[in-house]
Amino acid sequence: MAEPRISSIDGKLAEEFAVPSHVDEVKEKMAAFARYHAEAGRKVVLITSGGTKVPLESRTVRFLDNFSSGRRGASSAEYFIDSGYAVIFLHRHRSLFPYTRMFLTINMLDALQFRGGEDTSEVVVNQQVLPNIAKVLKRYDEVKDERLLLPIEFSTLSEYLHLLKAAAQALSTLGSKAMFYLAAAVSDFYIPASEMPEHKIQSSDGPLQLSMKMVPKILSPLVKDWAPQAFVISFKLETDSAILIAKARRALDTYRHQAVVANVLDSRRGYVVVVTRDTQAELILTEEDVKNEVEIEERIVSNLTAAHKAFITQQVG
Ligand code: PAZ
């Protein structure tokens, strides 16, 4: 059998990004999850969600962060599960999570109340404060019982990069039945471990001047080396809509993956464009949709699961 290619990014990952101590254990968990669902004839999607944190000191006091809330990833996970997929949810620690995402702004203590007398220990949920809780809890329990959701957390950029590589390798046995839905907002810049000050940067040293390196483009080895048969979707966020589609097309030309979901910061909840080499589908929520609480992720997932089905047929056929 041919030796797997070692890309220059593999070397860079090992040298400049601290390897999380639990990466092998997580990789084995993801591989076991993939095997279990492959045997059940299920497709598996790896969703990345939330923003990466880039430390400025190795004993980190300060870091660069990202605006992403994780809502796109968390709601998409629910729609993928409803469409018959098993989901590995690689998400930023404390970002929005499938099912609980709906209740995050609620103070838990306002939603609970004692029932009975003064010293009763029974606590019940006030369903006026948590509307839909029974329905969501029922669905969450079903998903847990069927082991359809595997949550994996990251915080820093290094953790994200190593865990994504591990996930890609763990899912490679699924071939075209694996999908990568890369919705996380990943930093383009970082300070290599060797150049990072150990201790807290002192303000007494004067204004801070940072020099950061470009983060290696992880999509390249993912598509070429780690999971070459998988169906890969990247996301492209811009603030200037005039350059959005050109940037999405450039990414497709460079990495040769299957689709880019292009979105603009301010309109991302109601408008995205799914760009492939030959097509461009605008997905838009109408006022009526918004009134009916339709989420754009339902449309994105519906578009991509149909494309994934066609991709699998084409690969097998
Ligand atoms: O996490 P969220 O729901 O607040 O935002 C989603 C998003 C804008 C981070 C995502 O749709 C996206 O475009 N991710 C890729 C960002 C990028 O170009 O790096």
Side-chain angles (χ1 to χ4, degrees):
M1 218 170 82
E3 285 287 303
R5 274 161 36 104
I6 306 287
S7 69
S8 60
I9 293 180
D10 283 298
K12 212 175 202 148
L13 268 187
E15 276 166 30
E16 299 193 352
F17 297 90
V19 185
S21 57
H22 64 314
V23 70
D24 288 337
E25 188 193 321
V26 175
K27 184 171 168 183
E28 183 39 47
K29 230 187 205 176
M30 294 190 285
F33 184 83
R35 278 195 301 274
Y36 175 79
H37 289 291
E39 275 165 26
R42 223 169 263 129
K43 288 170 269 191
V44 178
V45 58
L46 181 281
I47 297 179
T48 68
S49 183
T52 56
K53 174 170 146 180
V54 178
L56 303 187
E57 301 122 344
S58 51
R59 300 191 192 200
T60 309
V61 174
R62 302 188 187 91
F63 49 85
L64 288 187
D65 211 337
N66 191 288
F67 75 96
S68 169
S69 65
R71 179 165 151 189
R72 175 84 84 222
S75 59
S76 301
E78 295 172 21
Y79 293 112
F80 274 113
I81 290 173
D82 290 347
S83 310
Y85 281 71
V87 173
I88 300 179
F89 187 60
L90 178 58
H91 65 288
R92 167 71 182 271
H93 178 62
R94 293 204 180 133
S95 62
L96 291 189
F97 194 83
Y99 308 106
T100 62
R101 70 187 172 102
M102 333 232 179
F103 308 112
L104 224 68
T105 53
I106 292 162
N107 179 339
M108 190 188 64
L109 296 181
D110 289 336
L112 302 175
Q113 52 197 197
F114 284 114
R115 187 153 60 190
E118 279 266 293
D119 23 271
T120 176
S121 58
E122 196 182 17
V123 174
V124 293
V125 171
N126 179 345
Q127 296 199 40
Q128 268 160 0
V129 180
L130 292 180
N132 284 333
I133 184 73
K135 188 170 150 224
V136 174
L137 178 62
K138 186 164 175 281
R139 185 64 185 135
Y140 178 70
D141 282 346
E142 286 164 1
V143 166
K144 235 176 26 185
D145 288 348
E146 292 175 50
R147 294 158 62 184
L148 292 171
L149 179 65
L150 177 64
I152 309 285
E153 283 188 352
F154 66 84
S155 285
T156 63
L157 172 68
S158 297
E159 287 166 358
Y160 172 83
L161 295 173
H162 284 288
L163 290 170
L164 178 59
K165 177 180 173 185
Q169 292 174 331
L171 292 188
S172 64
T173 53
L174 293 180
S176 60
K177 283 188 155 190
M179 188 197 291
F180 289 81
Y181 183 87
L182 306 173
V186 181
S187 177
D188 285 324
F189 310 103
Y190 76 109
I191 300 175
S194 57
E195 292 172 25
M196 209 183 287
E198 181 185 353
H199 292 288
K200 183 182 168 201
I201 299 167
Q202 295 298 311
S203 60
S204 52
D205 294 344
L208 179 60
Q209 300 222 355
L210 285 178
S211 167
M212 303 184 86
K213 283 196 174 173
M214 295 298 296
V215 172
K217 298 293 182 195
I218 199 88
L219 200 49
S220 178
L222 190 147
V223 173
K224 276 200 266 180
D225 305 328
W226 301 335
Q229 293 169 309
F231 187 72
V232 179
I233 314 301
S234 69
F235 278 68
K236 174 65 73 190
L237 175 81
E238 292 297 339
T239 50
D240 177 1
S241 60
I243 61 170
L244 183 67
I245 301 301
K247 294 284 292 280
R249 293 227 159 271
R250 198 176 315 154
L252 283 176
D253 285 345
T254 308
Y255 304 110
R256 320 293 303 166
H257 57 308
Q258 280 65 46
V260 176
V261 179
N263 55 171
V264 172
L265 184 64
D266 298 337
S267 59
R268 71 189 191 281
R269 301 280 174 238
Y271 176 74
V272 306
V273 188
V274 181
V275 185
T276 71
R277 241 161 276 161
D278 313 314
T279 63
Q280 201 164 297
E282 286 190 303
L283 309 181
I284 306 169
L285 292 186
T286 62
E287 278 180 20
E288 190 66 16
D289 290 330
V290 175
K291 226 190 298 159
N292 293 329
E293 299 186 351
V294 175
E295 294 181 301
I296 191 101
E297 287 77 17
E298 184 177 354
R299 305 269 162 87
I300 301 174
V301 169
S302 164
N303 178 298
L304 293 175
T305 51
H308 189 199
K309 196 169 165 202
F311 176 79
I312 294 170
T313 311
Q314 197 185 33
Q315 303 296 304
V316 174

